[in-house]
Amino acid sequence: MLSSYLDSELEPERSGELEAHLIGCTRCSTALGYLREESQRIGSLSRVHVDDHAAHQLFALVGIDEREDEPPPPDSWHEERPEADDVEPWLEPQRARALPWQPLPKPQPMEPEHDMADAAMSGEPSFVSEQEDLFEEPYREPQPEAAEVEPEPAQPVAAEVHEPALPEPIVPAAASAEVADDYPGDPDIDATGYPAPFAPPEPRPVATGGVGRFFNRVRDSVAVRFALMRGAPADEDAVQIVSGGGAPSWEGRPVHRGYMQRMEQRRWNAPSQHPAAHVEAPPIQPGPDVDMEHEAPGRAVPYTSRSPMTSTATALATAPPDTHMGWDVSQPGGPARTAVGPGDLPGGDHPEAAGPDATEVHTAAPGRHMRTVTRGQNGGRFAGVGQFTTAVARRTGAQHGPSVIGGVDRRLWIFGAAVVVLMLIGVLVGKASSPLPAATVTHPAQTPAVHATSAPTAAPSVAPTTAPTSAPTPTPVPQGGPSALTDVVDLGTGGTGFDVAGVRYGVNGPRGYRLVFDMNPGARSTGAPDVRIGFGNATTLYIEFAGTVAAGSPQPAPGGGVVTALTLVQPSPVPGKIVYQITLTHNVNFIANYLDGPRLVIDLR
Amino acid sequence: MINVSANVQPEARELAGTARQHLDALASYATHLVYDPGDAVDFVTAGIYHASRYPPARLRQDGRAALYRAVTRACRQELRYPPRPSGPKRLFQRRSPAARIPVDAAGAARMNTVKRSLAMLNFDRRAALLLRDLSGLDYREISRVLECSPDATARLIAGARREFGSIYREIAI
C-alpha cells in the first residue's frame, strides 16, 4: 500500500486514510521514506541517448519510416490520403485497386439550404454522403421526400461542377448531349448516377503461337475428356462422348468397352424419370387414326432390345408415318426407328398395346456412331473404310445389317489373298530367274610366276560351287589336265633310264608340305630325268616324268596336310611319261628342285 | 477486397513517431534491464520490429506500453533483430558484420551499487521497478507491459522495492 501510495496509484479514499495513518505511525513513515529513496535511486540511473542518425538507422533496419517531410514516391498507389481519417477508403474519390469501378466524386460541402430533394433534383449523386451518415449514425429516419423525388435527367446547373481533369464520360451514341453535359465524370458510371455493372477484366492473352495453341488445345481436350468420363457414367445421361478419347471409334467399336457397357446397362436398368414410364396405361384399342398394319412384317427389325423400357416404345410401330416420329418410316433407306421416350407415345407405354406383330423400337443407344452401326442407317452406302460391315456389326453386337460376306471380315480376306498372291509371284519369279553370276575366278594361269602369292586365291572355292546350279546353260569351267598345265616348271637334264623308287610326302615345318620322289638311276643313266610340274586346275598338281618308269602306286597320304591324295595316273595321259596327280585341299605355291641322287623335292606352301 | 496496405503505411509512420519519441527511454530501460548496451539496442530493435506487426488499434490504444511490452518480451526471450543464427550450423557460418547502432550509453554501462542491487532481482521485479521508477509508466501501463493485472503490478512493484531496498542496504554497507 505504501508503494502504491508513493506512486499515487491509490484511490483517493485509501490515500486519505493512509495519510492519516502516516501522521501517527513513525514506522510506516520511515518505510515510506526508504521506498522513496529507493525509487529515487532507480530513477537516478543514467540514461541512454540515441541520436537522430542512429534512430533513422534503426528504423530503416526495422523497415518503418518516421520521416514525414519526405514525400512518398509519386507512383505509389498507397500514398497517404489527407481525408483518410474522415472517409473510408472505398469511398475515396480516387480509384483504389480493390474497387472494380471508380467511386463517385466526393460531394461538395453541404450548403445550408441544401437538402436531399435538391440533390436529387439536380442529379447530384448522394451516395457518398448517405454512406457517411450511415456510418456515423446507425439509425436514421427515412426521408420519403428524397426517395420519392425522381432525379430529372438534365439540369444546366450541374454543368458547373464539371471537373475538366476528369476524363470524358462514355455516353452511347443515342444519348443526348445534355446527358453528357449533365454528368461529368466517370466513364464507368452512367447518367443515372449508379455505377455501371461490373465488367470482368480482359482475360490474359493466351499464347497464340502454334506450339502454345496446340498444347492448349491438347490440354483442354484431355481435361474435357477426363471430366466427361468421370461424370458421365455417374449421373449424367445427356453427356455422350461422340469423338476423341473415350468415344466409340469410327468403325463402331467402342474405345472403352467398359464405359459403353456401363452406359448401356445403366440406361436399361435406370428407372425413367418420366412419370409416364411408371404408370401402367390401359390397353389401347387401335383407333381409326392408328394403323396397326402400317408397318409391314417384312420391315420388322430383328433387333431385340435388352431393356423392358424399350417395349414401351412399341406403339410407335402402330403410328402412321409422319404422325409422331417426324419422318416416314416406310421410306426406303430411311431410319427404321428413332429414339422416343415413353412420354412421347401417343397411346401410353403399355407393352401390350402394340400387338403381337409390332416390332420393338429400342431407345437411343449411347453414341451416334454406335447407333448408326447397330441400325444400319447408312443404307449400304460407303461411308468410310471399315465403317460398316457385317463383321463390325457382329463384333459390336448388331444383329442385322447388309450381309456382304457372311461371317468373315472382308478386309481380312483381301489381306490374306494379297499375301498369297505375292508369295506365288515370288516363287514363280524366283524359279524363272537366272542364277547369280559366278564370282570372278582368279585362275592360276593369270599369275606369271610360280612364286606369285596372289594368283591362287579364292578361285578354287568358287568354281566348284557354281557348277551344280540349276542354270540351264552352266558357265564353262576351265578344263585342266596333264595335257594343259599351267604354271609349269620344267626341271631335269634329259636323263633316261630312271625309275621312281619311292614317293615320300608329309608335313614339313609349320606351314610347309614336302614331296620327295626318289629316283634310281639305271646303268647308263646320267644327270636327272626331265620333269614337268604344273597345275591341271586350282587344286590339282601334276608331275610328269619323262624317261622314267614308275615303281608302283604311292602310299596313301597322311592326314592333316595340304595333300589329300597322291596317285599315279594310269594309263598315262601323256605318251612316254608317267604322271602323278596330287590333289590339294587348296591352292598353294610350290618350289621344285633336284637333289643329288637324283631326288626330286617339291615343297608346297 | 480492401486495400490494407494503404492503411498500414500511415500506421507504420505513427509507430515510428512513437518509437522515436520514446527511443531514449526504451534504450535506457533495456540497457539497465540486460546490463549490456549492445544487446539492449538489439532487443530494442527487435521489439520495435515486433511492435510494427501489432494491429494498429493496439498501438493506438496502448501507446508506449505496446513498445515497452515488445521490448520487454525481446529482452526476456533474447530476441534480436536481425536474428542471429542458432543451432549447430552457426558454428560453420561466417557471421556477417552486425550493423551496430551507435548509442551514447557510457554512463549506463557503468556498474554501480544500484545496478548490482537490481541484478539481484528477478526479471519481472527488475522490469517492474525500471518501468515505474526509470521510465515513469503508471500501473495500468505496466500491467499491459508485464501482461498482468494492475493489482498484481502493484504487489509486484511493492515486493520489488522491498527486496531492492534490503539488497541495496546490504551491499552499500
Side-chain angles (χ1 to χ4, degrees):
Chain A
M1 184 179 294
L2 288 177
S3 178
S4 300
Y5 173 77
L6 179 64
D7 295 332
S8 304
E9 295 289 343
L10 276 180
E11 298 175 356
E13 295 82 8
R14 300 292 302 273
S15 179
E17 294 174 0
L18 183 60
E19 289 176 354
H21 175 72
L22 288 175
I23 293 174
C25 183
T26 56
R27 184 182 176 185
C28 292
S29 301
T30 306
L32 181 61
Y34 283 132
L35 291 178
R36 185 173 290 107
E37 290 179 358
E38 290 156 1
S39 177
Q40 291 173 354
R41 290 191 184 98
I42 294 175
S44 63
L45 289 173
S46 58
R47 306 303 174 97
V48 176
H49 175 67
V50 182
D51 57 358
D52 293 340
H53 175 72
H56 288 306
Q57 189 176 356
L58 188 146
F59 294 146
L61 179 64
V62 171
I64 59 178
D65 189 10
E66 59 155 356
R67 292 170 291 185
E68 297 181 355
D69 51 350
E70 295 183 3
D75 55 349
S76 176
W77 55 273
H78 50 70
E79 59 186 21
E80 189 172 0
R81 299 175 297 275
E83 294 84 7
D85 297 336
D86 302 330
V87 184
E88 296 296 333
W90 52 85
L91 299 178
E92 290 286 324
Q94 298 182 2
R95 179 186 295 271
R97 283 272 176 104
L99 300 178
W101 66 86
Q102 182 170 354
L104 294 172
K106 188 176 181 60
Q108 298 296 327
M110 192 72 74
E111 298 294 337
E113 63 276 10
H114 185 82
D115 54 2
M116 298 299 293
D118 294 338
M121 292 292 289
S122 62
E124 181 180 356
S126 58
F127 176 74
V128 176
S129 58
E130 289 180 358
Q131 291 297 323
E132 287 181 343
D133 295 338
L134 287 177
F135 277 98
E136 295 296 334
E137 301 176 2
Y139 176 75
R140 187 175 185 181
E141 290 294 336
Q143 298 181 2
E145 302 85 356
E148 292 175 356
V149 176
E150 298 180 356
E152 295 185 358
Q155 290 293 335
V157 184
E160 299 176 357
V161 298
H162 178 77
E163 297 179 5
L166 296 177
E168 289 296 328
I170 300 176
V171 180
S176 62
E178 298 176 356
V179 176
D181 295 334
D182 175 48
Y183 191 75
D186 196 346
D188 294 335
I189 301 176
D190 55 5
T192 60
Y194 294 97
F198 171 68
E202 292 294 332
R204 297 182 61 182
V206 185
T208 57
V211 179
R213 185 167 50 188
F214 172 73
F215 278 111
N216 289 335
R217 294 184 62 181
V218 169
R219 180 198 58 198
D220 297 342
S221 176
V222 170
V224 167
R225 298 305 169 192
F226 272 100
L228 292 178
M229 290 175 64
R230 284 196 303 269
D235 53 0
E236 183 59 42
D237 278 345
V239 177
Q240 290 184 359
I241 302 176
V242 296
S243 63
S249 64
W250 187 244
E251 65 176 4
R253 180 174 62 254
V255 177
H256 302 285
R257 292 180 178 274
Y259 161 69
M260 299 298 296
Q261 293 172 357
R262 284 199 306 272
M263 282 196 66
E264 286 187 306
Q265 188 67 23
R266 180 177 49 79
R267 189 173 185 85
W268 304 144
N269 296 335
S272 173
Q273 297 181 359
H274 200 282
H278 303 282
V279 178
E280 289 191 3
I284 299 174
Q285 299 299 329
D289 55 343
V290 178
D291 187 6
M292 295 294 291
E293 302 297 330
H294 173 74
E295 187 74 12
R299 291 186 53 80
V301 180
Y303 180 83
T304 302
S305 175
R306 288 168 288 181
S307 170
M309 291 177 58
T310 56
S311 62
T312 61
T314 54
L316 284 175
T318 65
D322 295 330
T323 302
H324 297 283
M325 303 177 66
W327 59 74
D328 189 358
V329 297
S330 61
Q331 184 178 0
R337 59 188 66 80
T338 182
V340 178
D344 298 331
L345 297 178
D349 56 350
H350 198 276
E352 303 296 331
D357 294 335
T359 59
E360 292 183 348
V361 180
H362 70 91
T363 56
R368 57 184 173 88
H369 302 309
M370 192 70 178
R371 292 197 300 269
T372 303
V373 170
T374 55
R375 293 174 185 173
Q377 290 182 353
N378 61 349
R381 298 190 308 271
F382 180 75
V385 176
Q387 180 188 3
F388 183 70
T389 61
T390 303
V392 172
R394 179 171 299 176
R395 186 168 62 246
T396 55
Q399 302 293 329
H400 62 90
S403 58
V404 180
I405 301 176
V408 185
D409 194 351
R410 182 173 53 189
R411 291 175 301 170
L412 185 60
W413 276 104
I414 294 174
F415 176 74
V419 170
V420 171
V421 168
L422 289 176
M423 292 177 61
L424 292 176
I425 291 175
V427 169
L428 295 177
V429 171
K431 282 187 176 180
S433 62
S434 60
L436 295 174
T440 302
V441 178
T442 303
H443 199 269
Q446 296 176 359
T447 58
V450 176
H451 301 284
T453 56
S454 60
T457 57
S461 61
V462 176
T465 57
T466 55
T469 54
S470 60
T473 56
T475 55
V477 178
Q479 299 294 329
S483 58
L485 299 179
T486 58
D487 295 340
V488 176
V489 174
D490 292 328
L491 297 175
T493 59
T496 57
F498 290 88
D499 57 1
V500 178
V503 180
R504 299 174 292 163
Y505 51 97
V507 177
N508 182 25
R511 298 179 57 186
Y513 202 88
R514 175 169 288 185
L515 295 96
V516 179
F517 292 84
D518 296 327
M519 303 293 181
N520 285 331
R524 292 175 297 182
S525 300
T526 57
D530 291 337
V531 62
R532 167 169 289 191
I533 305 170
F535 284 98
N537 53 40
T539 57
T540 304
L541 184 66
Y542 290 97
I543 303 173
E544 301 173 358
F545 291 96
T548 305
V549 179
S553 296
Q555 297 178 354
V562 67
V563 176
T564 58
L566 174 60
T567 57
L568 176 63
V569 181
Q570 291 178 348
S572 176
V574 180
K577 292 183 178 181
I578 60 173
V579 178
Y580 286 91
Q581 179 180 352
I582 301 172
T583 304
L584 305 173
T585 58
H586 58 276
N587 196 354
V588 295
N589 296 327
F590 66 91
I591 299 174
N593 291 303
Y594 262 125
L595 300 180
D596 291 340
R599 182 182 299 165
L600 177 62
V601 177
I602 302 174
D603 290 329
L604 304 177
R605 294 182 183 277
Chain B
M1 181 181 294
I2 300 174
N3 187 3
V4 179
S5 300
N7 300 325
V8 168
Q9 187 68 16
E11 302 297 341
R13 287 189 175 180
E14 183 179 352
L15 171 65
T18 305
R20 183 65 189 96
Q21 182 181 357
H22 301 283
L23 187 59
D24 292 347
L26 286 170
S28 301
Y29 163 69
T31 301
H32 294 298
L33 191 61
V34 298
Y35 309 110
D36 185 79
D39 292 344
V41 172
D42 290 348
F43 297 152
V44 169
T45 307
I48 294 175
Y49 174 78
H50 186 73
S52 66
R53 267 58 184 171
Y54 284 172
R58 167 173 287 187
L59 290 175
R60 289 178 180 176
Q61 183 179 2
D62 293 349
R64 62 175 182 175
L67 291 175
Y68 277 99
R69 177 181 177 177
V71 172
T72 303
R73 174 178 174 272
C75 292
R76 179 186 286 117
Q77 302 180 4
E78 296 184 355
L79 301 177
R80 303 171 188 272
Y81 191 86
R84 290 183 179 178
S86 61
K89 68 177 183 180
R90 73 179 187 275
L91 302 175
F92 305 98
Q93 288 181 344
R94 177 182 296 178
R95 179 173 297 179
S96 61
R100 280 290 180 179
I101 298 174
V103 294
D104 184 9
R110 195 177 304 117
M111 185 61 71
N112 52 21
T113 307
V114 177
K115 296 186 67 173
R116 289 192 181 93
S117 303
L118 279 175
M120 302 297 289
L121 305 178
N122 62 17
F123 186 87
D124 289 339
R125 288 190 173 185
R126 188 167 65 245
L129 280 183
L130 290 174
L131 288 172
R132 178 66 191 95
D133 297 332
L134 184 66
S135 302
L137 273 67
D138 56 10
Y139 282 11
R140 181 172 296 277
E141 291 175 327
I142 294 173
S143 66
R144 293 185 182 276
V145 172
L146 300 179
E147 303 178 8
C148 59
S149 65
D151 295 338
T153 301
R155 291 192 296 270
L156 182 64
I157 291 175
R161 278 175 177 161
R162 286 196 300 270
E163 185 179 2
F164 173 77
S166 63
I167 294 173
Y168 180 81
R169 282 188 291 273
E170 289 181 3
I171 293 176
I173 294 173

